[in-house]
Amino acid sequence: MGIHLLPEDVASRIAAGEVVERPASVVKELVENSLDAGASRIEVETRDGGVALVRVRDDGEGIPSAEAALAFRRHATSKLTTAADLERIRTLGFRGEALASIAAVSCVTCTTRYLEEEIGIRLRIEGGSLVSRAPVGRPPGTELVVEDLFYNVPARRKFLHTARTERRHIDAFLTRYAIAYPTVAFLLVHDGREILRTAGTGNARETLAAVYGPDLGRSLLEIPPDLTEQQDIRITGFVGPPTVHRANRGYMTLFVNGRWIEDVRLSYAIVQAYHTLLPVKRYPVAFVMVNLPSEAVDVNVHPAKAEVRFRDPDTVFRAVQRAVRTTVIGTAPAAHTWTTERSPTETQTQRERLAQLQPAQSPLTFAPTHASPAASSLGPPQGGATDIHLQDASPPSPREATTSSPPRQGLPALPPLRVIGQLATLYIIAEGPDGLYLIDQHAAHERVLYERMRAQALRGDIGSQPLLQPVVVSLPQTTGERLAEVLPLLKHLGLEAEVFGPATYLVRTVPAHMTHTDPASLLTDMLEALDEGPESPNMIQTELEERLIRRICKRAAVKAGQVLSQEEMARLIRDLEATENPRTCPHGRPTIVQIPTAALARQFNRDS
Ligand code: ADP
Ligand code: MG
């Protein structure tokens, strides 16, 4: 095949691919156009995840009827004329590509009336060709209906994910813009169901509550104005207190000059601002908006305009870090002191404190009998009968501890260990046949609970504990809906809840080990677990179940900072011995660190 120029329709479909990757890109481009048109109301409706239909309606200035057809030509824009204009872009759009790209790969109906004209116009464009135009009466503003996305690009259509995944991308986009533009009223409807509605009254907190749920929305801290030294960089937004953190970076959002962007460095600036305030591998919730002169930032980096380049990246980095840090520090709770000493006289108060922490139902639900690993992990839970009550647990004899766990073939069984004490209310110190052993109490308990719960799930008999009063939990509007799909699975895991409203659930029971945990954080955990892995339509149920179980056990396990009695520690170690994989927690971190006697001898310059 000789070299030749591509026919126009092929070239435009290739170009369209860069702008329109998925239904959410259509929503993004259309909503950006509405914002550029000065809309105060923007309504978005989708069907079938946006593949069948995306409708965006606004009350902006509209398009003059003589120019409407032109708007669908490539490089047609009203937003810039000269190359110099590229240096100071104040609109979200500027490339003049979006409408052309969308129209090339779908069927578009555009109805618009320009502010200064008496009558509007309706255009129908199929696969990039104008098929009809007619005058219409309507109020000023624009409505774009995009149908049958990628109907003429089968390769692209094949790679679209489930409607649910596409809806999530759309939700992610629109909720963020709703927060960033509090004076615009947004409405989002999927398949006839209202997902998000904001009032547009300018109250960002109201919008935050609508998006993140009332509790999280309320807990976010507003970045005070005038925190930045530089006159021309303004940082605004909301950040979570250190007590609020998430398992992934997905809860950090950055806007630059009104545009949602991805920026690894600035995300890092936010994480840095929380340095030492968050647990390891946890990420903050933050919504940070950077405003700076349009000359100081180049938005013309990427067709989807999702990246920007700063003229002076270091200054922006410092400004963000400083604003977030100051906001967070201003409110951080004082560090709490740990009990590291245990003296006999202290025991009583520690017990009392423990009893307060876990009234009646202790999270330390180690099985009381320990005949064999199988019996221990497979024995049915008998309501609260398996709970150890701290006071009446009898100290296990060392013999019991060593004989309880017959070594399994081929498995790295734990040696018999004798508990010496607790270190930093986090590690159990134990003596074994070859030296000193440090056991991470949280990781070890996670492992024990995980294997027990998994075995129970397999047999379908995870115990559940009814709450005295059913609890109503409101989750963020957009993501909260997802939980409805897994309610049967959650019930199987002992967490019984029912839909009580949009993204609101009535929790009736919690898993047997979980009576001390508040149902709201449990449901949030479950949501996070849903988000944890890659979303694949054919993900098998058990994978998801595993993820949920891991999450429940993480929540249920004894925490760092919790004082354990000698008996509790001994029991934990025996239960750990009984597990199949005693040496790692369900997330793969080690549960045990050993310091061999020989290593100690070396440290003491002894020739052992
Ligand atoms: P760009 O936004 O980069 O200019 P688009 O292809 O997205 O390019 O849009 C082309 C032009 O159509 C815009 O410059 C604008 O003049 C007009 N336009 C598009 N959508 C709207 C809308 N919702 N309201 C008013 N004008 C619009
Ligand atoms: Mg545009």
Side-chain angles (χ1 to χ4, degrees), residues 33-34 37 58 62-63 71 76-79 93-99 142:
N33 281 346
S34 297
D58 68 52
I63 309 174
T77 179
S78 58
K79 297 170 193 174
F94 55 89
R95 300 171 64 101
E97 278 184 335
L99 291 187
T142 304

Side-chain angles (χ1 to χ4, degrees), residues 82-95:
T82 66
D85 292 343
L86 271 177
E87 304 289 310
R88 40 171 185 277
I89 286 165
R90 291 191 181 83
T91 47
L92 294 169
F94 55 89
R95 300 171 64 101

Side-chain angles (χ1 to χ4, degrees), residues 301-316:
V301 179
H302 186 263
K305 300 165 286 183
E307 284 165 39
V308 297
R309 225 171 268 137
F310 297 104
R311 204 132 298 167
D312 183 359
D314 291 341
T315 309
V316 183

